[in-house]
Amino acid sequence: MEPKRIIVGVAGGIAAYKAATVVRQLTEAGHSVRVIPTESALRFVGAATFEALSGNPVHTGVWDDVHEVPHVRLGQEADLVVVAPATADLLARAVTGRADDLLTATLLTARCPVLLAPAMHTEMWFHPATVDNVATLRRRGAVVLEPASGRLTGADTGAGRLPEAEDITTFAQLLLARTDALPYDLAGVKALVTAGGTREPIDPVRFIGNRSSGKQGYAVARVMAQRGAEVTLIAGNTAGLIDPAGVEVVHIGSAAQLKDAVSKHAPDAHVLVMAAAVADFRPVTQATSKIKKGPESQGEPVIELTRTDDVLTGAVRARADGQLPNMRAIVGFAAETGDANGDVLFHARAKLARKGCDLLVVNAVGENRAFEVDNNDGWLLAADGTESALEHGPKTLMASRIADAIASFLGSGKG
């Protein structure tokens, strides 16, 4: 991505120390970062830290470098403004249009995307005043992330924890990559997303698996949650990915466990996104002890395989049979390669017809493509015959385009 000018605002909360990682990650990505803390923030992290990480001077008031008019110029010239943490006080001041320090003045003059990452105690997050302030900021076009749940200050736990730096910088990069705003358009939608590869045990040591990292499914869950959906994520092998903020995560191992989890959660869902890479086969029997290699005279071991249940087809069938009355959209994924019979899209179109889902996300797989990488591209096929290309970029960008398609499908009355 071409380097951009990013303002990182830091409000006065205990989570201010995490802003240092946000600044470092954005700087290492090649962007020009200017940190604007509040006076309260500097009680938690000194200006020298932010200056060292960003390579730019740090000021809090509108009276520094007056000849450069920073309270107007910084906002006007920025490509993105990120505030992390955004305290309840900062959100309230942003809503009322206060401009009594450099950060709020910058927010008032910025015409670029604004990303706010809240951090506060649970009671403050759910207070009607904060709820109204967040709704107002979202209505005005700002992206206000859902906070994570977990340990707060002292012994308190609950919603209101600052999302991890990786979450914040991921959405920062997404807002820079998109040419339009990230809407808050999935409020009230219950989404069930699957991600990662399944592992089918051979013995206590070995398994049949695949190369899926779970990154694309996690990106879909992360984006849909931040667009307002109530998301449950069923995660297989995901190589230690950080669970997305604001998402209920259910961890599973095998295809059978994934099927059971989908069967349990699908009846309440409006949308099912089957991004998991489910094994097509599993061993007929699982050895209770490790299969020994043994001498060559014993011959080669034989592992008999049987097909696993097709979870996606089962969900489509269950909806047709009236077992999923709330389900309005089912999205499948296809990782394909071309062969002598046809190219990637040929096989993908056949799979869409065979599976019967509403939308199918198609990836061409191969060396450094689709699996175990941070970027992706492909196509989106719809049951009505429409097809569109998904541009190359971060997997979160593809996830946002998939969410666009889901929102459009739900809004069109098809779902």
Side-chain angles (χ1 to χ4, degrees):
M1 182 182 297
E2 179 183 342
K4 302 293 185 180
R5 290 169 294 191
I6 302 176
I7 300 295
V8 175
V10 185
I14 186 62
Y17 75 94
K18 294 184 178 180
T21 303
V22 174
V23 173
R24 178 179 58 79
Q25 291 179 352
L26 292 174
T27 302
E28 289 179 350
H31 302 298
S32 173
V33 179
R34 178 76 179 261
V35 181
I36 305 179
T38 63
E39 287 287 350
S40 297
L42 293 183
R43 291 178 175 264
F44 295 95
V45 181
T49 297
F50 293 128
E51 289 179 344
L53 290 171
S54 68
N56 284 308
V58 169
H59 301 301
T60 62
V62 299
W63 301 106
D64 297 304
D65 296 329
V66 173
H67 65 287
E68 295 182 358
V69 199
H71 70 288
V72 174
R73 180 180 57 81
L74 290 174
Q76 289 176 333
E77 295 180 352
D79 296 302
L80 174 68
V81 176
V82 179
V83 182
T87 59
D89 174 72
L90 187 283
L91 296 176
R93 290 197 290 140
V95 165
T96 57
R98 295 280 293 275
D100 48 358
D101 60 13
L102 189 55
L103 178 54
T104 51
T106 298
L107 287 172
L108 206 57
T109 58
R111 294 299 179 265
C112 59
V114 173
L115 175 65
L116 302 164
M120 64 197 73
H121 270 71
T122 305
E123 294 83 358
M124 299 172 76
W125 174 247
F126 288 119
H127 192 282
T130 304
V131 172
D132 286 348
N133 288 338
V134 169
T136 297
L137 289 166
R138 284 172 172 163
R139 187 176 66 252
R140 292 176 182 171
V143 177
V144 184
L145 297 181
E146 288 293 317
S149 293
R151 184 70 177 268
L152 304 172
T153 54
D156 293 341
T157 60
R161 181 182 173 91
L162 184 72
E164 295 299 324
E166 180 180 290
D167 264 345
I168 297 169
T169 55
T170 293
F171 274 96
Q173 297 280 34
L174 172 59
L175 291 177
L176 292 171
R178 284 180 66 108
T179 57
D180 54 354
L182 186 69
Y184 191 80
D185 54 359
L186 294 176
V189 173
K190 293 183 178 181
L192 180 61
V193 181
T194 69
T198 64
R199 292 180 170 181
E200 313 306 318
I202 297 172
D203 62 19
V205 177
R206 306 175 181 90
F207 59 85
I208 297 174
N210 55 61
R211 294 173 53 200
S212 174
S213 64
K215 291 179 179 179
Q216 188 63 75
Y218 265 55
V220 171
R222 180 175 284 113
V223 168
M224 293 191 71
Q226 300 301 347
R227 291 174 69 154
E230 180 182 333
V231 180
T232 298
L233 173 63
I234 301 175
N237 175 44
T238 54
L241 297 180
I242 298 172
D243 289 345
V247 173
E248 178 187 355
V249 183
V250 178
H251 293 279
I252 56 91
S254 66
Q257 291 171 346
L258 185 139
K259 177 189 175 184
D260 290 343
V262 170
S263 297
K264 176 182 178 180
H265 293 280
D268 292 329
H270 303 117
V271 176
L272 172 62
V273 182
M274 282 291 301
V278 188
D280 293 321
F281 302 95
R282 62 172 177 81
V284 173
T285 59
Q286 178 184 348
T288 57
S289 58
K290 179 183 176 181
I291 300 173
K292 302 297 190 293
K293 186 175 182 179
E296 292 184 6
S297 59
Q298 289 184 355
E300 303 296 336
V302 176
I303 301 174
E304 185 180 358
L305 301 178
T306 186
R307 291 179 181 273
T308 59
D309 292 329
D310 190 322
V311 182
L312 176 58
T313 300
V316 172
R317 186 182 302 116
R319 180 177 65 172
D321 292 341
Q323 299 174 27
L324 302 176
N326 298 315
M327 189 66 68
R328 298 168 58 192
I330 297 178
V331 183
F333 274 66
E336 294 288 351
T337 60
D339 57 23
N341 296 318
D343 61 11
V344 169
L345 282 175
F346 172 83
H347 291 293
R349 292 175 185 124
K351 184 170 186 176
L352 175 61
R354 186 170 66 252
K355 299 289 187 179
C357 51
D358 302 302
L359 300 169
L360 185 71
V361 180
V362 184
N363 299 128
V365 299
E367 188 68 24
N368 294 321
R369 298 193 68 183
F371 290 137
E372 301 176 308
V373 293
D374 294 326
N375 295 323
N376 210 353
D377 55 39
W379 300 267
L380 186 63
L381 311 185
D384 63 6
T386 58
E387 300 180 1
S388 57
L390 297 169
E391 70 265 42
H392 186 79
K395 286 187 173 179
T396 310
L397 177 61
M398 177 177 279
S400 76
R401 297 309 184 195
I402 295 168
D404 289 344
I406 292 171
S408 177
F409 184 84
L410 297 177
S412 68
K414 297 177 183 178

